[in-house]
């Protein structure tokens, strides 16, 4: 096949198809769950997910176990990156502590609304215990009719 800069260069469609195909392969390799249809037909059953048509019955242990999936990498943290992560972690824990302290302070402060609510509930409790409050030096009876 001729190179891209050659006189008889291939069409862009062929290049785009090849590029899409290689990207698709990489994307398929990233999938954590491999199905029976995405692997070869001779792949071990322990490494792939069951098909939707496979039996859901509980089978006896056959000794076949899935291979462990390793997350080991050859990339190492640079010294600069490690320091940055440690610094950000320190800021994050400090912010969490400040948020906890602010929450405690907000609970201790009583707003006007809370004070009014508390006063009204106290009045209701007192009324339930002692009955209605009667002021003795007013004119008239407790029924509201004036007497002369």
């Amino acid at each position: 096949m001729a190179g891209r800069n050659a006189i008889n260069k291939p069409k862009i469609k062929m290049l785009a198809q090849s590029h899409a195909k290689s990207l698709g392969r990489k994307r398929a390799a990233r999938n954590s769950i491999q199905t029976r249809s995405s692997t070869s037909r001779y792949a071990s059953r322990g490494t792939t997910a069951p098909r939707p048509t496979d039996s859901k019955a509980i089978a006896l242990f056959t000794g076949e176990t899935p291979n462990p999936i390793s997350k080991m990498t050859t990339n190492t943290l640079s010294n600069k990156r490690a320091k940055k992560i440690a610094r950000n972690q320190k800021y994050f824990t400090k912010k969490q502590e400040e948020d906890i302290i602010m929450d405690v302070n907000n609970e201790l402060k009583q707003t006007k609304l809370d004070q009014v609510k508390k006063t009204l509930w106290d009045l209701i409790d007192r009324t339930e215990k002692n009955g209605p409050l009667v002021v003795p030096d007013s004119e008239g009876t407790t029924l509201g009719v004036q007497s002369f």
Side-chain angles (χ1 to χ4, degrees):
M1 180 183 250
R4 291 185 189 198
N5 294 327
I7 296 170
N8 298 325
K9 60 184 173 185
K11 302 285 184 202
I12 188 68
K13 187 174 182 181
M14 288 172 44
L15 290 173
Q17 284 175 344
S18 170
H19 184 66
K21 186 177 177 184
S22 65
L23 287 178
R25 261 190 257 123
K26 288 180 184 177
R27 194 180 309 115
R30 275 197 312 259
N31 288 345
S32 59
I33 299 174
Q34 292 183 339
T35 59
R36 296 290 303 236
S37 59
S38 68
T39 57
S40 74
R41 63 189 283 190
Y42 301 110
S44 64
R45 287 181 180 265
T47 59
T48 57
R51 294 183 186 114
T53 57
D54 285 349
S55 172
K56 304 281 192 273
I58 297 175
L60 294 175
F61 178 64
T62 59
E64 190 176 7
T65 58
N67 296 332
I69 299 172
S70 176
K71 296 289 183 187
M72 186 177 290
T73 179
T74 57
N75 297 338
T76 57
L77 272 177
S78 67
N79 213 7
K80 185 176 180 181
R81 180 77 177 146
K83 286 179 183 177
K84 182 179 179 181
I85 290 172
R87 185 175 64 245
N88 286 343
Q89 185 66 29
K90 183 177 70 173
Y91 292 145
F92 182 71
T93 54
K94 187 176 179 182
K95 183 167 177 26
Q96 280 183 329
E97 289 172 359
E98 288 175 358
D99 289 347
I100 291 171
I101 290 171
M102 285 177 60
D103 289 343
V104 170
N105 288 345
N106 286 342
E107 289 174 4
L108 294 178
K109 277 189 204 171
Q110 278 192 346
T111 62
K112 290 275 188 189
L113 180 65
D114 292 335
Q115 290 173 352
V116 169
K117 282 182 185 177
K118 186 174 184 248
T119 307
L120 287 174
W121 280 111
D122 288 344
L123 179 67
I124 290 170
D125 290 339
R126 220 178 313 131
T127 306
E128 285 179 359
K129 281 183 186 175
N130 305 331
L133 184 64
V134 178
V135 181
D137 3 320
S138 65
E139 293 182 10
T141 64
T142 55
L143 297 175
V145 178
Q146 288 184 343
S147 61
F148 295 100

